Amino acid sequence: MTIIMENEKKELFGAWVQATGTTLSAIGSTPLKVFTENELTSYNLWGNELQALGNALIADSEPYFTMEKIGNMIQSAGNLTVIAGILLPGMQQELDIKGNLMQALGGSAVLKDTLTEEQSVESLYHLYGNLLQIIGNSLQAISGIIELQGGEGENINTAGSWIQATGSIIEAVGSTIDYLDETG
């Protein structure tokens, strides 16, 4: 019983760490004149680091090898790929696209388990939160492809970042409701 409670706490903490990270990353992806380019890059870097940590904690909280565990592991690897792109000049665009596609793929794997959950209000939080994250990551990847082809993808990237952040917050709220239901 104690291990189960610890895993539920770890999952809840991971969900909010991830939500914080997606929000910081969305700020970093928004062309705000109040921040320098270096400050926006720092927000994006820290945001992806927190997302990677949050996804890793959620994956680690799952004691069995499930699609949810695999999906969160893939999402964490996707964030690490984005981080590598930020830190490796000249490779940022390609690694950013690949990292966002990996996050969308991981979210899709998590979605498989979400769709098999018993239907409840909490499951709707998880369903919609996860779908928004998949859509957001996909838009971010599309914006990178547009930019690689010489187009302007900044607005799509910004929208995708905020859609992903909204989804992760909804997901964290669902995890909070799950935790409160479990602990009474």
Side-chain angles (χ1 to χ4, degrees):
M1 183 74 166
T2 303
I3 293 173
I4 292 171
M5 287 302 295
E6 291 304 314
N7 282 342
E8 289 172 358
K9 287 179 187 176
K10 187 187 298 183
E11 179 180 9
L12 177 61
F13 182 69
W16 282 106
V17 168
Q18 182 204 28
T20 302
T22 56
T23 303
L24 286 175
S25 187
I27 292 168
S29 297
T30 305
L32 299 168
K33 301 294 182 211
V34 296
F35 298 116
T36 66
E37 195 62 39
N38 282 343
E39 289 170 330
L40 291 173
T41 299
S42 290
Y43 275 111
N44 201 17
L45 178 62
W46 279 102
N48 274 282
E49 290 171 352
L50 288 172
Q51 288 177 65
L53 175 61
N55 283 314
L57 287 168
I58 295 167
D60 191 51
S61 73
E62 180 62 48
Y64 304 106
F65 203 66
T66 63
M67 289 304 288
E68 180 179 0
K69 184 178 192 85
I70 294 167
N72 280 294
M73 292 166 70
I74 293 170
Q75 285 179 309
S76 186
N79 289 115
L80 294 174
T81 303
V82 171
I83 291 165
I86 293 169
L87 299 175
L88 298 172
M91 298 184 67
Q92 181 170 5
Q93 200 66 48
E94 291 86 359
L95 290 173
D96 195 56
I97 293 166
K98 290 174 183 175
N100 280 300
L101 288 173
M102 288 173 68
Q103 289 177 67
L105 175 65
S108 298
V110 172
L111 185 62
K112 185 265 179 209
D113 275 2
T114 303
L115 291 172
T116 60
E117 288 178 3
E118 183 179 319
Q119 296 218 344
S120 64
V121 172
E122 300 87 51
S123 69
L124 289 176
Y125 279 95
H126 294 298
L127 174 67
Y128 291 125
N130 209 343
L131 282 172
L132 286 171
Q133 289 183 75
I134 294 165
I135 291 166
N137 283 123
S138 298
L139 285 171
Q140 289 173 287
I142 289 168
S143 77
I145 294 167
I146 290 170
E147 288 182 8
L148 268 183
Q149 296 175 342
E152 178 54 48
E154 185 176 55
N155 290 339
I156 295 170
N157 185 59
T158 300
S161 294
W162 285 106
I163 290 168
Q164 181 191 5
T166 301
S168 69
I169 292 167
I170 291 170
E171 182 79 24
V173 169
S175 294
T176 302
I177 293 170
D178 282 344
Y179 180 78
L180 294 174
D181 284 349
E182 296 288 323
T183 59

